[in-house]
Amino acid sequence: MTDHDAPDDHSQQTLTGESDDVDPLFAGVDEDGPFGSQLIKNQNLLEVGMVPDEDRIVGRDDEIETFAGYLRPIVANGAPTPVLVYGKTGTGKSLVSQHVSGRARNAAERRGRTIAVAYIDCSQHSTEAQAVCALARDLNSKAGSPERIPLKGLGRSHYYTYVWELLETHFDGAITILDEIDRLQPDDEGNRDNILMQLSRARESGKTTKPIGIVGISNKIDWGEELNQRVRSSLGNEELIFPPYDANQLREIMYAREDAFYDGVLEESVIPRAAALAAREHGDARKAIRILKNAGLIAENRGDEMVRETHLDAAQKRAEADRLTELLSTQTAHAKNVLLALALLTEQNDENEFRTTEVFSVYQEVCEHEGDDPLKLDRVRDLLDEQAFLDITEAYLTGGGRGQGTFKVHRLLKDPEVVRNCVNSTYGQDGEISGF
Ligand SMILES: Nc1ncnc2c1ncn2[C@@H]1O[C@H](COP(=O)(O)OP(=O)(O)OP(=O)(O)O)[C@@H](O)[C@H]1O
Ligand SMILES: [Mg+2]
């Protein structure tokens, strides 16, 4: 008998589960649930990067239908209509574009036609050469070609040549999805849309005989306006706008993934509340799913038997804190003092809107406590404007009643407790501030 299979072999006993000498760090791993989870049965369903199956895509029927209409000709060798997709973050643009393109490819395949769907994230490949290189490499790998296309070292025209050749040799057409297209950098002549030009005119300029579908995605609603007139005329003007989800749609999106959790472990009000929270914050599905997942993880970590609203609130606070910490990391101590002043006013008042002078007065107290020399009122006004620009606060002009003219009021959009924790100051925490 070798040392390896000796009966007291530590690893063997642990693997068969016969020993209770289990490393607690890795305890509870079983084959059914990920990581021996008690509440979450299938965490993949709660990962935001996941492209869900058809029956889990909810609330975008009209957009899917319209989108399919643009792509439909490619199924039968016609030229698809180029389309620019706009909408705020988390409104399903990338998801729907990939979903419908995939269905077009499958429909073509059933007719014996091979269509490539190429997806290029222009935030990762932000020069024209990088974007065409990514396109060529994607087509190359989909063609199963043994040829290696170098990542660097070739000019953009070489990469285009690869694209046209691959199309001619291996495919009956292609759908190119250019995601985050507004992130494309201008070239030396200041053109940011050359790739659109090349793809949209490829057939008429004799580069390829195969139809190419073009899908450009952006969350800047006016991005298309910036396009060069020639590109706009070859692209056409088809635009598809994805509105933010409302609370009902977010609820349905989450219900369609309820089976990520074990039966009966989600308190009934959790999904509706997660939907309401995300609807309030710009109707972002990614955010809704992330809060739901984090609520589940928090409940599990606490060893609770159900996911409840309290876990959701904790998840929401954590998400807000992460975001705010990120935003605050680049701000000055004075900006933080201004925010703390607004947070303290909000916490210790029945109202939630405050005039610049009110914020300024508490800001001065905060500075004194922190040992910082306070800035002048005008600078504080600028700092408040910056906070509004970052969506940390909201500001608007309001009337002060007869003879008083208008003035600006500020409202904190984040949880004041979260702000206090992120700013990391103890001022005002255990009692009333004196500034009002
Ligand atoms: N209609 C939907 N049904 C189901 N899940 C959805 C839906 N819309 C979005 N999601 C989920 O939210 C995630 C984010 O959606 P998507 O990536 O399409 O957003 P986006 O509009 O491209 O946002 P961004 O501008 O930030 O790139 C998706 O991966 C998916 O999990
Ligand atoms: Mg996207």
Side-chain angles (χ1 to χ4, degrees), residues 48 56 58 89-95 180 219 245 257 286:
V48 284
R56 296 187 199 271
V58 189
T89 187
T91 51
K93 302 180 299 296
S94 302
L95 170 63
E180 315 267 349
N219 43 29
Y245 293 112
R257 302 192 194 190
R286 191 182 283 118

Side-chain angles (χ1 to χ4, degrees), residues 374-400:
L375 300 171
K376 296 260 181 325
L377 179 62
D378 274 353
R379 277 295 295 134
V380 168
R381 196 169 272 136
D382 293 344
L383 288 175
L384 278 165
D385 286 344
E386 280 166 29
Q387 304 311 311
F389 178 77
L390 292 170
D391 273 345
I392 298 176
T393 66
E394 186 178 63
Y396 59 92
L397 287 173
T398 179

Side-chain angles (χ1 to χ4, degrees), residues 11 14 33 46 52 81 102 141 144 160 170 194 200 207 241 274 287 293 295 365 389 402 409 425 430 434:
S11 61
T14 308
L46 300 173
T81 307
S141 99
Y160 280 117
H170 297 279
N194 210 24
S200 63
K207 304 273 176 33
I241 313 256
K287 201 165 270 171
K293 174 180 128 185
E365 283 179 41
F389 178 77
R402 196 188 307 187
V409 290
S425 164
D430 333 294
S434 56

Side-chain angles (χ1 to χ4, degrees), residues 180-205:
E180 315 267 349
I181 194 167
D182 50 282
R183 304 286 287 276
L184 278 179
Q185 306 295 320
D187 65 11
D188 293 342
E189 280 104 58
N191 293 323
R192 309 201 300 164
D193 36 29
N194 210 24
I195 188 167
L196 288 173
M197 186 75 168
Q198 294 285 342
L199 294 173
S200 63
R201 300 223 168 151
R203 225 175 172 188
E204 68 179 73
S205 61

